[in-house]
């Protein structure tokens, strides 16, 4: 699949692979033309180094993600590992043997490209992202949040921008995803600090879809999608995104 990645990077980002190491002739770097930062690194590594069965070598793609929780979740799924030799800074290694679909690889490349771009381009170039956002019934009656209106203000999570999608997850005793919403406005000033809850900015979200509490309960999120906790805004795996549609 390395050639598929090269073709995609060339067509999408006008990037040609660079081979920088004589000792590792098959290692190829993908990087920005302006700031020269890497947004991808393809390596061929021994299968045993990744804990895989069999002999020989396998291609992997290293990408950088913005969300630590999302990166931690991915590495618990087949085809994903902590960044090989570059584990710092939310780097993740992805198998290029067909285990991870090309459409998922393209999405990861897009995020890595945005995360490593110049600061003034990050927000503009980042593709829309989906978030799982917790809602504590002790602080807010999330179950009836959209009973009277389709748009509400919500605590803004770090990194969330207009155009993103948020799935509101109601904590215990509900413990399930209840709503799918689009983010239509961010950075609404707000100052609140009480009962262990601090809010400095709000975002306006619009209801797109409702879910019954038994459709996406925590037990399903944990057992099928590797989501072991929802303590703050976090990304979601592509497989869960498809089911939520």
């Amino acid at each position: 699949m390395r050639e598929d990645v090269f073709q995609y990077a060339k067509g999408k980002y006008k990037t040609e692979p660079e081979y920088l190491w004589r000792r590792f002739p098959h290692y190829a770097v993908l990087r920005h033309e302006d700031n020269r930062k890497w947004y991808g690194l393809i390596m061929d590594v021994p299968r045993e180094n990744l804990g895989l069965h069999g002999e020989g070598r396998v291609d992997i793609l290293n990408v950088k993600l913005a969300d630590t929780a999302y990166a931690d979740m991915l590495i618990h799924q087949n085809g994903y590992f902590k960044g090989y030799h570059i584990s710092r800074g939310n780097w993740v290694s992805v198998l290029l043997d067909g285990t991870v679909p090309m459409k998922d690889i393209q999405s990861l490349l897009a995020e890595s490209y945005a995360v490593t771009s110049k600061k003034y381009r990050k927000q503009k170039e980042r593709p829309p992202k989906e978030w799982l956002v917790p809602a504590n019934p002790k602080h807010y009656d999330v179950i009836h949040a959209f009973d009277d209106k389709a748009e509400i203000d919500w605590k803004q999570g770090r990194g969330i921008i207009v155009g993103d999608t948020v799935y509101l997850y109601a904590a215990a005793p509900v413990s399930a995803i209840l709503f799918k919403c689009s983010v239509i406005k961010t950075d609404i000033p707000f100052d609140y600090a009480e009962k262990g809850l601090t809010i400095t900015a709000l975002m306006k979200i619009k209801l797109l879809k409702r879910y019954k509490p038994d459709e996406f309960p925590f037990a399903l999120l944990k057992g099928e999608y590797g989501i072991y906790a929802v303590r703050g805004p976090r990304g979601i795996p592509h497989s869960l995104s498809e089911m939520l549609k």
Side-chain angles (χ1 to χ4, degrees), residues 14-25:
K14 306 299 187 291
T15 304
E16 295 283 357
E18 299 180 38
Y19 298 87
L20 306 179
W21 301 279
R22 183 175 301 177
R23 183 181 174 187
F24 303 103

Side-chain angles (χ1 to χ4, degrees), residues 72-73 76 218 221-223 225-231 234:
D72 289 342
M73 179 184 61
H76 289 92
F218 178 71
L221 301 181
K222 180 179 179 181
Y225 304 105
I227 298 176
Y228 296 93
V230 187
R231 300 190 181 93
R234 60 180 300 165

